Amino acid sequence: MEQFDILVIGAGPGGYSLAIAAAKKGLKVAVFEKEHIGGTCLNVGCIPTKYLVDKAATMEKVRALCSKEIFRDAGSFSFKKIIAGKDEVVGKLTGGISFLLKKTGCEVVSGEAVLKPDRVVECAGRTFQGKNIVIATGAETMIIPIPGHELCIDSTQALKLTSLPRSMVVMGGGVIGLELACAFAAYGTEVTIVEMLPEIMGREEKAAVRIVLRSMEALGITVKTSAKMLRVEKDGVLLKAVYKTESGEESSVCEQVLMAVGRKAHLPGIDAQALGLELDAKKCVRVDSRQRTNLEGVYAIGDAAGGLQLAHAAYAEGEKALADILDEEHTDKVPVPVCTYTIPCFARVGLTSKEAREAGYVPALGTFDYGANGMALAEGATGCVFVVADKATTRTLGVTIVGENASELIAFASLAVAEGLTAKQWEAMIVAHPSLSEAIREAALDCFRRSVHKG
């Protein structure tokens, strides 16, 4: 039986980053991966989706310049070349992770790992024992077994399409559905979103969501809310998606139906009942604040442990687990930013104004439109920043940004929320000009009507 300090089951963002960090600390580490290094994020999730969205957003920007007669035309594009470029980026990143694992001395074992009692793992005909086990097996696509579900494609298949569908119905208005809907619509696909809930992005700042909805409408996307998908059926060479709305039964004929109703924890090779491993109500591995399971020396991180299904959340959870293994100090009170890569991008960290009220604060909401920002006007960027502060202390509670570069700007905002910057601290801050970052400071000052550039 081969002995290791840490056995990591799954080489997605949480798993591979923990393994590399542990190896750099001098620990003996083995990583098990049954499919692809990099997991869902690098191969069939975050990275390929963002590649498609980025190229789509670029075309939208060019079209806006054409409407001003700065460019004569938007030109043509090759969807096949876009897909090839996406695959090239994915290959470069996964190859880079493989290189880092090898360079730091991690042993990578290909195959499905089977977790046994006493921290034993069997894989590829070998038996391993670890002082610690980290479950990082990720999540898998949820399938709603409506009649005709086998006619649908999931996000993985959507990212592998080599020809652009002329029409698509997206079942689900969550992050995955919205991002792919925006990308395909910008490429020219006629897109209809069917969402069961009364509104999309229901937990977010309402005014910010309205900006997203207007942008989606401009892309030609039709959004059906309070709509339950009933069935998908053949309609000649096309498909017919049938759904029930408040107005009655409706249908949309299309080339593709994308089922994007979420993801659930995936625990291959892990018989929780036989191991005595506790799961929560959603069948995710139950963990404490240090990512420890109920089994001695066994941790779970990322999508397998529930929580936010985000790569950067998995990174942070891996850091917590490793700190616990090494008996090191670690803080886990830093707010986690959440980004949705629509066109334009949507990002939020901390509380919305509604959440602030529910938490017992008297919130002050400040806003600043991209239209009053010099850099945004120079770049042709549109959007708005929303900042929530506590009226009593003037401390920053949350920031929402919808607009170009929102996913980059939110890092600056995350620090402001983590530190609880006050109005006085915002006033003392010097931000580069011209820059989109100025809009965050202006919105923060607008909470207390101190913004200079807002009337």
Side-chain angles (χ1 to χ4, degrees), residues 3 30 40 54 61 66 73 125 134 148 155 160 163 167 228 241 254 266 298 308 330 335 345 423-424 436 449 451:
Q3 301 293 324
T40 295
D54 175 74
K61 197 165 185 176
C66 290
D73 60 67
V134 179
S155 58
K160 292 181 179 179
S163 61
S167 52
K228 181 180 180 181
C254 58
H266 185 46
V298 179
L308 294 172
H330 186 275
C345 183
K424 187 175 181 179
L436 294 178
R449 305 300 174 257
S451 170

Side-chain angles (χ1 to χ4, degrees), residues 10 81 182 390:
K81 290 290 186 181
C182 286
D390 175 24

Side-chain angles (χ1 to χ4, degrees), residues 10 13 44-45 108 124 205 274 285 292 297 314 323 344-345 353 370:
V44 292
V108 179
E205 203 69 57
V285 180
R292 294 175 292 203
C345 183
S353 53
Y370 273 35

